[in-house]
Amino acid sequence: MELPILQLQDVDYIYLDKFPALANINLDVNSGERVCILGANGSGKSTLLKILNAIAFPSNGIVKAFGQSLKENILEGGEFSRYFRQRVGFVFQDPDVQLFSATVEDEIAFGPLQLDIAKDEVEKRVDDLLQMLGIAALKHRPPYSISGGEKKKVAIASVLANNPDVLLLDEPTNGLDPRTQVWLIELLEGLSDAGKTIIIATHDLSLAADISDRVVVLNEGHKIAADGNTMDILGNRKLLLEVNLIHEHAHRHGETVHVHSHGPFADHEHEKEK
Ligand SMILES: Nc1ncnc2c1ncn2[C@@H]1O[C@H](COP(=O)(O)OP(=O)(O)OP(=O)(O)O)[C@@H](O)[C@H]1O
Ligand SMILES: [Mg+2]
């Protein structure tokens, strides 16, 4: 049997010794899976992705990637570090954290140049990505001077430029206009069909429905509340209410009391006022 490419065993993460972010996480991801990490604000989604990208290391427990235990020293250069960085790409929740180059062009070219890809091939990749994302006009602009959604596109392009096998995306559709969101979902589907592993953190249930086969739900205690088939989990209203991914409140419309569950799978129950 094929080994999972990413494995977390009994992982806890605590910021500054006092702010828990992940508790007792056990998670295996196989090559080619499309997984959404769902959870309310503060549940630990971003922290989990940072651990999978080896930019944060667990307070307790073990993380393995491609069968190798991820410890800080193993990623300080050397062969495995290079292998890992080439295979795993991470789009941060906040593009301001990710973008650092003088121009959009340099930003997208940075990764492939680090990987010693020939300069003319890098130029071609950059131009292709600029075209694909509809941001060719930004090529020579400094990333700090462009809009939030444009920054997000540059951040996505800079990760795609490395052609990683595993894509970790933290709230990838945040800040994107509807047309670009649809484009991104289609792109991710295409990458998935090509065999890439895709892991997305989001609290957007419709994004999870569109792009994942498997959902891992984090609760507000930073634990895994559920891990399973996307449609089964998105159909579990009780679970989604418990973890605050949908909410319910009652208010009056004239004669009736109207109970809403808010979310893409919301149902509406109308009760005649007693
Ligand atoms: N730098 C930090 N210092 C201290 N606590 C932090 C830090 N970053 C995150 N936390 C805490 O860790 C917990 C998990 O945060 P995380 O950012 O992983 O959540 P999230 O699920 O990504 O939330 P969101 O949906 O808002 O992006 C939260 O309680 C948060 O307050
Ligand atoms: Mg987050």
Side-chain angles (χ1 to χ4, degrees):
M1 209 185 81
E2 208 187 335
L3 269 181
I5 52 170
L6 299 168
Q7 292 171 282
L8 273 73
Q9 291 166 5
D10 302 324
V11 164
D12 297 331
Y13 191 89
I14 305 163
Y15 285 96
L16 309 169
D17 283 336
K18 55 183 167 189
F19 303 114
L22 292 172
N24 196 28
I25 303 295
N26 285 286
L27 181 68
D28 285 354
V29 178
N30 292 313
S31 179
E33 277 199 283
R34 306 191 294 174
V35 186
C36 266
I37 314 291
L38 278 179
N41 291 139
S43 56
K45 304 179 296 295
S46 294
T47 307
L48 180 55
L49 286 195
K50 285 177 194 166
I51 287 178
L52 292 174
N53 191 47
I55 50 176
F57 297 89
S59 310
N60 300 299
I62 296 171
V63 188
K64 288 185 187 167
F66 314 112
Q68 175 83 251
S69 183
L70 292 183
K71 302 249 172 64
E72 279 172 275
N73 56 6
I74 214 164
L75 290 149
E76 287 163 359
E79 206 176 316
F80 181 75
S81 165
R82 194 182 160 77
Y83 175 79
F84 181 85
R85 293 291 167 220
Q86 185 167 357
R87 290 197 67 186
V88 180
F90 183 32
V91 179
F92 284 73
Q93 182 166 1
D94 175 4
D96 282 325
V97 177
Q98 184 161 353
L99 306 177
F100 58 89
S101 299
T103 66
V104 166
E105 178 181 26
D106 292 350
E107 190 70 56
I108 302 172
F110 180 81
L113 289 174
Q114 287 288 100
L115 299 174
D116 294 331
I117 291 164
K119 233 175 157 194
D120 48 349
E121 165 63 21
V122 174
E123 274 172 29
K124 188 178 172 307
R125 271 195 205 181
V126 170
D127 285 334
D128 285 352
L129 283 160
L130 288 168
Q131 285 299 334
M132 263 169 70
L133 280 145
I135 49 174
L138 305 177
K139 185 170 175 178
H140 304 294
R141 299 264 302 272
Y144 64 79
S145 79
I146 61 181
S147 82
E150 290 168 344
K151 285 180 187 171
K152 194 88 188 181
K153 292 182 190 179
V154 174
I156 291 167
S158 71
V159 169
L160 293 177
N162 290 336
N163 193 22
D165 297 323
V166 180
L167 279 154
L168 307 171
L169 302 123
D170 198 349
E171 311 280 2
T173 52
N174 259 17
L176 297 180
D177 59 46
R179 188 183 48 144
T180 311
Q181 289 194 20
V182 170
W183 175 86
L184 181 64
I185 288 166
E186 285 172 358
L187 174 81
L188 293 174
E189 277 171 352
L191 292 169
S192 168
D193 290 344
K196 310 280 184 191
T197 307
I198 296 176
I199 304 177
I200 297 175
T202 184
H203 43 73
D204 180 344
L205 302 183
S206 56
L207 176 63
D210 282 340
I211 193 64
S212 68
D213 314 303
R214 174 183 173 195
V215 162
V216 176
V217 180
L218 292 176
N219 64 23
E220 289 169 302
H222 314 293
K223 293 188 171 155
I224 293 181
D227 179 350
N229 173 273
T230 298
M231 285 308 154
D232 290 347
I233 286 181
L234 294 181
N236 188 342
R237 192 163 161 274
K238 183 167 169 280
L239 168 75
L240 298 179
L241 277 168
E242 270 166 20
V243 298
N244 280 319
L245 282 165
I246 53 175
H247 62 104
E248 191 168 65
H249 62 197
H251 58 95
R252 281 155 201 259
H253 295 299
E255 282 291 282
T256 58
V257 177
H258 194 71
V259 181
H260 296 276
S261 291
H262 292 261
F265 302 94
D267 49 12
H268 285 79
E269 294 159 16
H270 291 267
E271 271 179 42
K272 190 81 183 156
E273 202 174 16
K274 307 259 151 56

